[in-house]
């Protein structure tokens, strides 16, 4: 548990100091005026991809257990949910991680963003069975994917 | 351009990206977990709302690592503030203040509305920038690529509308 707090703290500190949790830098990305966020996400993917490939070939975690990666399902929610999330990301200037980071930084409006996000996730889980059909979502026990 | 928080420029993008990759790979190698932050919203919901959706395995097993992780995110932001200009509550929102204005109440309403879309959208899509954008795309998963292109499109259109058309 302490490991997760530590990894989260490092992740949060980096998001805070890199511009990934900064309203101006998020808008600068969507306006194509600032490269910073494209550089961050691009570098992260460019290094995580070969890292994952190696870890999967190695096949084991540090404690020797087989590495298990649950793949996310493909459904109509990927596009619809992605578009909705994109609008929210632009409005708040935060994606889910930076919401928490901004709260830690003392940005008071981030508390409102978290409240909205919790209500949004709460509504989604409550009406899952009703959106399941139209968006071709997986059975309720599986959900849309852990991410 | 300086950060809203520290009033100094951010660290280099390559260094930030490398740290994010390191944490992502550590999470998998040390704890067998795939990075994904938006499900933490459901983890919190699972503590507050008695719905079958929040009793599924991904939440019950995952919240044991995700809740400590997001507590770490808050802590990371706090330390970042503390070690720069010192921690103090702020309403500063950069170019939003310069071009859109509103007051505190308007900002709260705007953020809440954005949050609603983030919460509902990420869960409908099955992930966010971390789970789809970084982990999923790095793992060459098609749903993640589709979702990432979708949220980038949603963000680009919205920001362009807000800052190039409406509040120009």
């Amino acid at each position: 548990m302490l490991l997760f707090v530590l990894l989260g703290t490092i992740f949060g500190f980096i998001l805070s100091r890199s511009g990934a949790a900064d309203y101006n830098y998020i808008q600068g990305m969507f306006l194509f005026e600032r490269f910073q966020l494209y550089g961050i996400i691009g570098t992260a993917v460019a290094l995580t991809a070969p890292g994952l490939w190696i870890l999967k070939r190695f096949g084991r975690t540090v404690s020797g257990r087989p590495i298990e990666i649950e793949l996310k399902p493909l459904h109509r929610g990927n596009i619809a949910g992605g578009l909705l999330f994109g609008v929210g990301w632009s409005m708040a200037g935060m994606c889910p991680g930076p919401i928490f980071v901004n709260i830690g930084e003392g940005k008071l409006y981030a508390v409102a963003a978290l409240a909205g996000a919790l209500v949004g996730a709460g509504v989604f889980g409550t009406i899952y069975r009703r959106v399941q059909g139209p968006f071709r979502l997986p059975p309720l026990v599986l959900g849309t994917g852990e991410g | 351009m300086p950060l809203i928080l520290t009033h100094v420029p951010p660290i280099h993008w390559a260094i930030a990206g490398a740290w994010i990759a390191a944490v992502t790979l550590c999470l998998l190698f040390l704890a067998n977990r795939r990075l994904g932050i938006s499900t933490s919203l459901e983890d919190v919901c699972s503590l507050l709302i008695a719905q079958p959706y929040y009793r599924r395995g991904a939440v019950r097993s995952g919240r044991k690592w995700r809740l400590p992780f997001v507590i770490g995110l808050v802590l990371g932001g706090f330390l970042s503030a503390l070690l720069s200009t010192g921690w103090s509550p702020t309403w500063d929102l950069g170019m939003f203040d310069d071009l859109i204005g509103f007051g505190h109440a308007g900002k709260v309403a705007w953020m809440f509305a954005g949050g609603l879309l983030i919460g509902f959208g990420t869960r409908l899509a099955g992930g966010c920038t971390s789970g789809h954008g970084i982990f999923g795309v790095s793992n060459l998963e098609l749903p993640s690529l589709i979702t990432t292109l979708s949220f980038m499109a949603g963000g680009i259109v919205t920001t362009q509308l807000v800052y190039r058309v409406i509040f120009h």
Side-chain angles (χ1 to χ4, degrees), chain A residues 61-82:
Chain A
T61 65
V62 69
S63 59
R65 292 170 61 180
I67 284 182
E68 289 164 25
I69 299 175
E70 197 178 320
L71 299 178
K72 291 175 186 289
L74 180 68
H75 47 73
R76 291 182 180 170
N78 293 137
I79 294 179

Side-chain angles (χ1 to χ4, degrees), chain B residues 29-47:
Chain B
F29 184 60
L30 301 180
N32 220 1
R33 296 291 185 178
R34 72 172 287 163
L35 175 72
I37 295 173
S38 72
T39 316
S40 67
L41 300 169
E42 294 186 349
D43 297 338
V44 177
C45 286
S46 77
L47 306 175

Side-chain angles (χ1 to χ4, degrees), chain A residues 140-145, chain B residues 42 52-60 123:
Chain A
L140 186 138
V141 288
L142 295 176
T144 53
Chain B
E42 294 186 349
Y53 190 67
Y54 304 118
R55 288 198 287 269
R56 62 188 212 280
V59 170
R60 284 157 70 130
R123 295 325 306 146

